[in-house]
Amino acid sequence: MSGLQSLPPVGLIVIVSIVALFVLAVLLLFYVSARYKHLSSMVTGNLDKDNGFLRFVVNDFASAYKKYGLDVNTPALVQNAVSVKLSGLLLLERFLNNAVSLVVFGTFLGLSLSVSSLTELIGYSNTDQWLSVLDSVGEGLMSALSGMGVAFYTSLVGVACSILLTLLRSVFSPQAQR
């Protein structure tokens, strides 16, 4: 745990951001899952309830049946109803699909900090003052290692969150519930 305390502030900010993104994704996953379960129970349950989604599908089917007769493409009508009436849930599904990739961005931040420190270090090596170069080499290596520390800690947190989110998404699959 002492390694986390020695991280630069940007590393801690990235870790907090990753954890916040993970918490947001989990909450949205539970929300989407609950909404789909509610819709499913309304569609399969009592039709006397005020169900805007089901009413939309039935009205769309009735107008298509009047126009095309038995050649109505029912799956296309249902898919259209999902895209029209549930567009917000579909947007949340897309976010959840990409959230797994977003939680590992700290790795690249830490590595870019490390590379920028090494670049500065190499830039100092072209001077004629060797003693100051040796001092800057030590400081530069410490700075580069600090950037690598950010990369490793944020990668560890990001990968753990990514694994947990993937497991939760496979248990509470919004696509399967839709």
Side-chain angles (χ1 to χ4, degrees):
M1 199 64 181
S2 66
L4 284 176
Q5 294 171 348
S6 66
L7 278 179
V10 70
L12 293 176
I13 290 170
V14 169
I15 288 175
V16 168
S17 300
I18 289 170
V19 171
L21 181 66
F22 171 74
V23 169
L24 175 67
V26 168
L27 291 175
L28 290 176
L29 177 65
F30 290 148
Y31 171 75
V32 169
S33 178
R35 289 283 296 148
Y36 281 146
K37 282 182 183 177
H38 177 70
L39 277 170
S40 176
S41 68
M42 287 179 73
V43 169
T44 60
N46 187 2
L47 296 179
D48 295 336
K49 296 178 185 174
D50 183 30
N51 187 340
F53 178 75
L54 186 58
R55 188 174 46 251
F56 182 84
V57 172
V58 169
N59 290 341
D60 201 19
F61 180 81
S63 65
Y65 185 77
K66 286 177 186 174
K67 187 174 184 179
Y68 300 110
L70 294 176
D71 293 330
V72 174
N73 187 349
T74 306
L77 291 175
V78 172
Q79 184 63 34
N80 178 53
V82 167
S83 66
V84 169
K85 297 301 264 182
L86 305 178
S87 60
L89 290 176
L90 293 174
L91 177 67
L92 292 178
E93 274 188 53
R94 285 193 301 272
F95 171 77
L96 290 171
N97 289 336
N98 294 318
V100 173
S101 303
L102 294 174
V103 294
V104 294
F105 74 95
T107 302
F108 300 104
L109 176 70
L111 290 175
S112 66
L113 290 173
S114 175
V115 168
S116 69
S117 297
L118 288 174
T119 303
E120 288 177 25
L121 178 64
I122 290 171
Y124 288 141
S125 66
N126 291 333
T127 63
D128 291 331
Q129 302 168 347
W130 287 103
L131 291 178
S132 65
V133 168
L134 290 178
D135 285 340
S136 67
V137 166
E139 291 172 15
L141 286 176
M142 290 304 293
S143 177
L145 290 176
S146 174
M148 287 181 197
V150 170
F152 291 126
Y153 281 115
T154 56
S155 295
L156 184 63
V157 171
V159 167
C161 289
S162 177
I163 290 170
L164 287 173
L165 189 57
T166 300
L167 290 173
L168 286 171
R169 278 185 46 230
S170 41
V171 171
F172 300 100
S173 175
Q175 291 85 1
Q177 290 177 350
R178 180 171 23 100

